[in-house]
Amino acid sequence: MGQSPSTAVPSPSLDVNRFRYGDGNGYGNGVSSDDFINGVNYSEEIPDECLAGILHFLDAGDRKSCSVVCKRWFRVEGESRQRLSLNAEAKLVDIVPSLFNRYDSVTKLALRCNKKSTSINDDALILISLRCKNLTRLKLRACREVTEIGMLGLARNCKNLKKLSVVSCLFGVKGIRAVVDNSNVLEELSVKRLRGVNDVNEVNEEGVESGCGNGSSSLKSICLKELVNGHSFAPLIIGSRKLQTLKLIRCIGDWDSMLGTVGKMNSGLVEIHLEKVQVSDVGLVGISKCLKLETLHLVKTPECSDHGLVVIAERCRMLKKLHIDGWRTNRIGDEGLVSVARNCPNLQELVLIAMYPTSLSLGAIASCCLGLERFALCGIGTVTDADIECIASKCVALKKLCIKGCPVTNVGIAAFASGCPNLVKLKVRKCVKVTGEAAGWLRLKRSSLAINFDHSQVEAMDGSGSDVGVQETTMAFLQNDTEVTLIDEPSSSSNNNNRLSMFRTKFGFLVGRNFVPCAFRRWANVDDTIDDSSFS
């Protein structure tokens, strides 16, 4: 949230000389002599609904410029804005009434505070919720003065809230439970670095900790990231019978038991992401009971082996997307991949990172997964030219291929001159035995094929295979909405790096720091179509 559209939207050409600005009220009076042609102001003939539709396609800066054209445009711009991104410092409360008098149609709101500033408190959050009763999506970031009391007031006032994202707040599990227990339409929940770790779970009559409630009748997606008290959410995960997507990323604790229970209680899960969490084959066996599973990410889960993957492949035959980062542990290899090839004929996307598959499994995938459209081999030292030639000859449906940090040569790459007839994108990175001449020759042979070639040396690799993981976009809002930012924020990339460094120091999750970035780092957030930007 708070990002500009990925594709630049051309702004309408406005003749600024036709308008007179600065009438003392922050907008023009719209009575310049050039406004009229033959005595008619044609802009007045545009209905408010059409003008609002035009403004909808502009970014935040252009919308702000349009709002000062005249009083009518100022009014329509405010009435039609649905998305706001605000600096949630304590002083925000002073302008809440006037701000939401103008922007009275907001449905998507982000409240973000700088770590060095005092954030809004419960009273301010409740006041905002009273002025935004139609709110459907909310993101709270570093609002450290908000407690479970403010979250309860929010839930009671915003009955239409469907998506909630909470990052670096202090109210703990009880604050999340206040929202879940008072919402019948909440569909997506994302919780990252929740700081309130000392919540005391209630104990029911059977002596079981209730944690974050007993489930939700509406939740479809739960993402937990970098939590030290993630198990407090286990009852919520288990009890949410409509849950379709579950993402556990760098959360402390053993998750085998919870995943086993989820498999028994909710067989409707279609997407599961596990990244740097303590999960073994026991947890994978539990996942295998989700017979509708279509997407599975196993990223740096060293206790998972071929046995668990075989069980999943044999039971979850609807699997379409599989990402595995073996982290150089050599526990998932040919046996598991051969089972996937034989039992998952609908596989469309396969990403293998830091593993040791041989021709046995790679050949089986190429021969059996006839619908495979996206394939990535990253940091795999066992792949040979023969394997690449096999892929080129048998993967006729393949559209996008990434080969990164593998010991292939020009001979293997040359196979794509005639192989993979549907291939539209080929990325070859850090393969030191592939030369620029081979890439140039291939471009001449297949001019329609987009080739991304990088002949730089392979970076030193330890147990890490890639920085591919679940992207924090569970709460991503519609890109064509615009936003208002009262005060600019620091660079997000700098903040992310600082937070990651702190997390490494505190919890010691990351053994190594050298990564081989994979071409498909955005695949976790797309469906069947991948833009070329995924390979940039």
Side-chain angles (χ1 to χ4, degrees):
M1 187 172 185
Q3 297 178 348
S4 300
S6 57
T7 302
V9 179
S11 301
S13 178
L14 292 177
D15 183 2
V16 295
N17 293 324
R18 296 185 59 202
F19 304 102
R20 185 165 60 191
Y21 293 79
D23 64 349
N25 295 317
Y27 39 74
N29 55 22
V31 295
S32 174
S33 59
D34 288 339
D35 284 342
F36 297 90
I37 301 177
N38 296 325
V40 178
N41 182 357
Y42 287 100
S43 67
E44 293 295 336
E45 297 182 4
I46 303 176
D48 287 355
E49 295 79 6
C50 293
L51 180 58
I54 294 172
L55 295 175
H56 180 73
F57 288 98
L58 305 182
D59 60 26
D62 288 338
R63 285 190 70 126
K64 183 177 180 180
S65 298
C66 289
S67 69
V68 298
V69 166
C70 63
K71 294 180 179 180
R72 175 171 173 260
W73 285 34
F74 181 86
R75 173 181 56 80
V76 173
E77 194 278 330
E79 292 175 349
S80 63
R81 187 184 288 270
Q82 295 183 340
R83 175 178 175 177
L84 287 178
S85 179
L86 304 177
N87 191 327
E89 294 182 6
K91 59 185 178 182
L92 176 64
V93 67
D94 297 330
I95 63 172
V96 165
S98 59
L99 183 68
F100 289 101
N101 277 338
R102 179 185 177 190
Y103 301 113
D104 57 358
S105 300
V106 173
T107 59
K108 308 172 185 70
L109 179 64
L111 299 173
R112 311 180 184 194
C113 186
N114 189 289
K115 292 183 177 180
K116 297 180 180 180
S117 304
T118 302
S119 74
I120 59 174
N121 57 18
D122 291 337
D123 293 336
L125 182 62
I126 293 174
L127 178 60
I128 292 173
S129 68
L130 288 171
R131 304 302 296 265
C132 299
K133 291 193 173 182
N134 293 323
L135 206 62
T136 60
R137 305 183 186 186
L138 174 65
K139 182 168 186 176
L140 297 177
R141 188 180 188 121
C143 296
R144 294 172 296 279
E145 302 300 319
V146 174
T147 70
E148 58 268 18
I149 296 175
M151 297 302 290
L152 178 60
L154 168 74
R156 289 176 175 174
N157 294 327
C158 300
K159 293 296 185 180
N160 297 319
L161 192 63
K162 293 184 178 181
K163 298 184 180 182
L164 174 65
S165 176
V166 176
V167 182
S168 299
C169 293
L170 298 181
F171 46 73
V173 178
K174 290 182 179 180
I176 301 297
R177 186 169 65 183
V179 178
V180 173
D181 291 347
N182 290 275
S183 175
N184 295 321
V185 297
L186 188 66
E187 296 180 353
E188 294 187 21
L189 174 64
S190 177
V191 181
K192 181 178 179 181
R193 291 193 301 272
L194 199 64
R195 303 301 187 185
V197 298
N198 297 319
D199 285 346
V200 179
N201 291 333
E202 299 175 359
V203 179
N204 60 22
E205 297 178 355
E206 298 176 355
V208 179
E209 292 183 348
S210 62
C212 188
N214 296 316
S216 168
S217 60
S218 58
L219 270 176
K220 296 181 181 179
S221 175
I222 296 177
C223 176
L224 306 180
K225 191 170 185 179
E226 297 175 13
L227 298 181
V228 297
N229 60 337
H231 276 283
S232 299
F233 291 88
L236 175 64
I237 297 172
I238 295 171
S240 299
R241 302 300 177 85
K242 292 184 179 180
L243 194 64
Q244 298 178 0
T245 300
L246 175 62
K247 300 178 182 181
L248 303 175
I249 307 167
R250 297 189 292 276
C251 293
I252 293 176
D254 188 344
W255 293 91
D256 281 339
S257 177
M258 190 276 293
L259 291 175
T261 306
V262 167
K264 295 178 182 178
M265 303 292 290
N266 185 357
S267 60
L269 277 169
V270 297
E271 183 176 358
I272 297 177
H273 295 237
L274 304 175
E275 178 179 347
K276 278 194 175 180
V277 291
Q278 186 177 342
V279 175
S280 69
D281 290 337
V282 175
L284 296 187
V285 172
I287 292 174
S288 70
K289 298 175 184 177
C290 302
L291 304 182
K292 296 181 180 180
L293 189 66
E294 296 182 0
T295 300
L296 176 63
H297 288 212
L298 297 177
V299 179
K300 299 168 186 172
T301 52
E303 296 183 32
C304 296
S305 70
D306 279 324
H307 173 70
L309 185 59
V310 168
V311 176
I312 287 180
E314 291 177 347
R315 295 180 180 178
C316 304
R317 295 177 176 267
M318 298 178 66
L319 198 65
K320 293 181 179 180
K321 300 179 182 181
L322 177 63
H323 290 212
I324 302 177
D325 186 339
W327 215 10
R328 302 284 179 195
T329 58
N330 201 25
R331 300 200 67 190
I332 297 180
D334 282 339
E335 183 182 355
L337 294 177
V338 168
S339 181
V340 170
R342 292 176 178 174
N343 295 289
C344 303
N346 298 322
L347 195 67
Q348 298 176 358
E349 179 176 305
L350 179 61
V351 177
L352 304 179
I353 306 167
M355 298 171 59
Y356 299 94
T358 67
S359 300
L360 178 64
S361 57
L362 294 177
I365 291 170
S367 301
C368 301
C369 300
L370 302 180
L372 190 65
E373 296 181 356
R374 299 172 293 277
F375 197 6
L377 299 169
C378 303
I380 298 180
T382 53
V383 64
T384 65
D385 286 334
D387 298 327
I388 300 301
E389 292 172 349
C390 179
I391 292 172
S393 62
K394 295 183 179 181
C395 294
V396 294
L398 197 64
K399 295 181 179 179
K400 301 193 177 185
L401 174 66
C402 172
I403 305 172
K404 193 166 188 178
C406 298
V408 299
T409 69
N410 292 345
V411 176
I413 300 302
F416 294 105
S418 57
C420 295
N422 292 305
L423 193 66
V424 297
K425 184 80 174 185
L426 173 64
K427 186 169 187 177
V428 181
R429 302 288 303 276
K430 304 187 186 304
C431 297
V432 295
K433 296 182 180 181
V434 179
T435 65
E437 288 77 7
W441 176 82
L442 186 58
R443 288 190 179 98
L444 292 176
K445 291 292 183 179
R446 294 186 64 170
S447 58
S448 61
L449 179 62
I451 302 175
N452 189 325
F453 174 74
D454 177 16
H455 186 52
S456 58
Q457 293 293 319
V458 179
E459 297 174 352
M461 292 185 296
D462 54 12
S464 306
S466 172
D467 58 359
V468 173
V470 181
Q471 304 298 314
E472 185 191 354
T473 59
T474 304
M475 298 301 297
F477 294 168
L478 296 178
Q479 293 292 332
N480 57 1
D481 284 327
T482 54
E483 63 175 297
V484 170
T485 303
L486 295 186
I487 301 177
D488 293 335
E489 294 180 304
S491 170
S492 60
S493 60
S494 175
N495 290 342
N496 289 339
N497 291 335
N498 292 337
R499 290 195 296 265
L500 184 56
S501 299
M502 292 174 59
F503 200 75
R504 284 170 174 162
T505 303
K506 187 172 182 178
F507 300 114
F509 280 124
L510 303 180
V511 177
R513 298 191 181 186
N514 294 321
F515 297 92
V516 180
C518 176
F520 305 118
R521 64 174 70 248
R522 296 185 184 87
W523 278 13
N525 305 312
V526 297
D527 295 324
D528 295 333
T529 304
I530 298 181
D531 296 331
D532 288 345
S533 60
S534 301
F535 294 82
S536 58

